[in-house]
Short mmCIF file of all heavy atoms in Angstrom, two decimals:
data_model
loop_
_atom_site.label_atom_id
_atom_site.label_comp_id
_atom_site.label_asym_id
_atom_site.label_seq_id
_atom_site.Cartn_x
_atom_site.Cartn_y
_atom_site.Cartn_z
N ALA A 419 69.44 123.45 77.39
CA ALA A 419 70.83 123.08 77.04
C ALA A 419 71.41 124.24 76.15
O ALA A 419 72.53 124.60 76.34
CB ALA A 419 70.82 121.77 76.30
N LEU A 420 70.56 124.75 75.20
CA LEU A 420 71.07 125.78 74.37
C LEU A 420 71.35 127.11 75.11
O LEU A 420 72.40 127.77 74.91
CB LEU A 420 70.08 126.09 73.22
CG LEU A 420 70.08 125.14 72.05
CD1 LEU A 420 68.87 125.38 71.17
CD2 LEU A 420 71.38 125.34 71.18
N SER A 421 70.45 127.44 76.03
CA SER A 421 70.58 128.69 76.85
C SER A 421 71.82 128.60 77.68
O SER A 421 72.64 129.54 77.74
CB SER A 421 69.35 128.92 77.69
OG SER A 421 69.53 130.09 78.46
N VAL A 422 71.99 127.49 78.40
CA VAL A 422 73.17 127.40 79.25
C VAL A 422 74.48 127.31 78.44
O VAL A 422 75.46 127.97 78.79
CB VAL A 422 73.02 126.09 80.16
CG1 VAL A 422 74.30 125.80 80.95
CG2 VAL A 422 71.83 126.23 81.14
N ALA A 423 74.43 126.58 77.36
CA ALA A 423 75.62 126.47 76.51
C ALA A 423 76.04 127.82 76.00
O ALA A 423 77.25 128.20 75.95
CB ALA A 423 75.39 125.50 75.36
N ASN A 424 75.04 128.63 75.59
CA ASN A 424 75.41 129.97 75.04
C ASN A 424 75.96 130.85 76.11
O ASN A 424 76.96 131.56 75.86
CB ASN A 424 74.07 130.60 74.47
CG ASN A 424 74.33 131.90 73.80
OD1 ASN A 424 75.29 132.08 73.03
ND2 ASN A 424 73.45 132.92 74.10
N LYS A 425 75.38 130.84 77.26
CA LYS A 425 75.87 131.75 78.31
C LYS A 425 77.20 131.27 78.90
O LYS A 425 78.04 132.07 79.35
CB LYS A 425 74.83 131.86 79.43
CG LYS A 425 73.53 132.61 79.01
CD LYS A 425 72.57 132.65 80.17
CE LYS A 425 71.36 133.55 79.83
NZ LYS A 425 70.53 133.02 78.77
N LYS A 426 77.37 129.98 78.86
CA LYS A 426 78.61 129.37 79.36
C LYS A 426 79.76 129.52 78.33
O LYS A 426 80.92 129.38 78.66
CB LYS A 426 78.40 127.94 79.71
CG LYS A 426 79.50 127.27 80.50
CD LYS A 426 79.11 125.88 80.87
CE LYS A 426 80.26 125.17 81.56
NZ LYS A 426 79.97 123.70 81.88
N GLY A 427 79.41 129.64 77.08
CA GLY A 427 80.36 129.77 76.02
C GLY A 427 80.96 128.39 75.59
O GLY A 427 82.06 128.32 75.05
N SER A 428 80.15 127.35 75.85
CA SER A 428 80.65 125.98 75.54
C SER A 428 80.33 125.58 74.10
O SER A 428 80.77 124.50 73.66
CB SER A 428 80.04 124.98 76.50
OG SER A 428 78.62 125.09 76.52
N ILE A 429 79.59 126.44 73.33
CA ILE A 429 79.44 126.22 71.90
C ILE A 429 79.76 127.55 71.20
O ILE A 429 79.55 128.63 71.84
CB ILE A 429 78.08 125.66 71.51
CG1 ILE A 429 76.94 126.68 71.94
CG2 ILE A 429 77.80 124.32 72.07
CD1 ILE A 429 75.60 126.25 71.39
N SER A 430 80.12 127.45 70.00
CA SER A 430 80.41 128.70 69.24
C SER A 430 79.12 129.48 68.90
O SER A 430 78.06 128.87 68.88
CB SER A 430 81.17 128.37 67.96
OG SER A 430 80.33 127.62 67.05
N LYS A 431 79.26 130.76 68.64
CA LYS A 431 78.07 131.53 68.28
C LYS A 431 77.43 131.01 66.99
O LYS A 431 76.25 131.01 66.87
CB LYS A 431 78.52 133.02 68.12
CG LYS A 431 78.78 133.70 69.44
CD LYS A 431 77.44 133.86 70.30
CE LYS A 431 77.75 134.64 71.53
NZ LYS A 431 76.47 134.71 72.36
N SER A 432 78.34 130.65 66.02
CA SER A 432 77.78 130.16 64.75
C SER A 432 76.95 128.89 64.97
O SER A 432 75.83 128.74 64.37
CB SER A 432 78.91 129.92 63.74
OG SER A 432 79.79 128.98 64.19
N ARG A 433 77.49 128.02 65.82
CA ARG A 433 76.74 126.75 66.16
C ARG A 433 75.45 127.04 66.86
O ARG A 433 74.41 126.47 66.57
CB ARG A 433 77.65 125.81 66.97
CG ARG A 433 76.96 124.51 67.43
CD ARG A 433 76.66 123.64 66.33
NE ARG A 433 76.24 122.25 66.79
CZ ARG A 433 75.44 121.44 66.12
NH1 ARG A 433 74.99 121.78 64.89
NH2 ARG A 433 75.10 120.28 66.57
#
Side-chain angles (χ1 to χ4, degrees):
L420 280 170
S421 180
V422 172
N424 184 45
K425 291 180 174 68
K426 191 177 178 182
S428 53
I429 60 172
S430 67
K431 286 293 181 184
S432 60
R433 177 68 169 152

